[in-house]
Amino acid sequence: MKRFDVKSLVAGVIIGTMGITTVYAATGIKSATLSNTKVTLNGEALPLSKSLISVTMDNEQNESLYIPANELFEKIGYTVSYDSVKNTVNLIPGNNHSQEAEVIGDVVTEGSVAMNFTNNADQTNIAKSGAFRVKDNQTLTINITSDIKGGVVDLFLFDPDGNEQKITFGSAIMTKKIALKKGVWKYNCSGVFKDGGNIKVVGEIK
């Protein structure tokens, strides 16, 4: 099993928020490779949009496993933002999206909203996740409104079998329809941008 420690979480925030090239330039990293290691929380799988990274530092022999912790902290109830002026990663508790409490809920009925979220005001990033349970032959209609500039946002949908669908958007008004199969669907939305910052995503079962 690969070693995993607190510094991995800290660097993981930077990797997840700023991109691996920034971390590589700012630290003495000898090698970095993508890892297919999976993450679970309390025995439940956590689908992440970014791969974990196996890193060896210049002054170390053993590898450390780095995780995109912006997504991890979102799962356990934090909002993560990066302040480029102060070069600081901010962790804000209480985002109401901790470990997908809604997964064990009732089936989402027709006309119900399965996802409804916006980014935090005055922040140039978004990190949201959640889940919903449906029956066969339902359709998820996703309406996206965004005016961001200088970046893109990725919305990942994971079906009950773990298969992934990805929607990428920048400044756009768009609608996507997803045919659903019975079970629990999970979603993960994340991205960093320079300007704009008004994002709204609403997913309705029809």
Side-chain angles (χ1 to χ4, degrees), residues 65-168:
L65 192 61
Y66 285 66
I67 187 169
N70 59 326
E71 294 184 67
L72 176 62
F73 279 117
E74 175 73 20
K75 298 286 187 180
I76 60 177
Y78 285 81
T79 294
V80 181
S81 65
Y82 174 68
D83 188 329
S84 59
V85 175
K86 297 181 180 179
N87 193 27
T88 302
V89 175
N90 300 311
L91 302 179
I92 304 172
N95 62 7
N96 297 321
H97 283 275
S98 58
Q99 187 42 28
E100 301 163 359
E102 65 270 37
V103 167
I104 310 179
D106 295 331
V107 171
V108 177
T109 57
E110 184 172 346
S112 297
V113 174
M115 62 174 70
N116 185 359
F117 58 84
T118 62
N119 62 312
N120 295 325
D122 301 323
Q123 292 186 352
T124 55
N125 75 319
I126 186 170
K128 302 292 182 180
S129 62
F132 53 93
R133 186 190 303 274
V134 298
K135 57 186 179 181
D136 275 328
N137 300 318
Q138 291 183 308
T139 299
L140 175 65
T141 300
I142 304 175
N143 293 300
I144 299 171
T145 304
S146 169
D147 68 351
I148 65 172
K149 298 176 182 178
V152 296
V153 172
D154 293 320
L155 172 60
F156 292 87
L157 288 173
F158 301 90
D159 71 14
D161 297 323
N163 299 313
E164 171 192 300
Q165 297 187 54
K166 178 182 176 182
I167 302 171
T168 299

Side-chain angles (χ1 to χ4, degrees), residues 3-29 31-32 50-57 60 63-73 80-82 87-91:
R3 187 158 54 90
F4 179 66
D5 50 28
V6 174
K7 73 175 182 180
S8 300
L9 280 174
V10 176
V13 173
I14 302 174
I15 289 173
T17 305
M18 299 172 61
I20 186 172
T21 54
T22 302
V23 177
Y24 204 101
T27 61
I29 296 177
S31 66
K50 301 180 182 67
S51 298
L52 276 64
I53 299 175
S54 180
V55 175
T56 302
M57 306 297 289
E60 297 179 355
E63 295 178 342
S64 294
L65 192 61
Y66 285 66
I67 187 169
N70 59 326
E71 294 184 67
L72 176 62
F73 279 117
V80 181
S81 65
Y82 174 68
N87 193 27
T88 302
V89 175
N90 300 311
L91 302 179

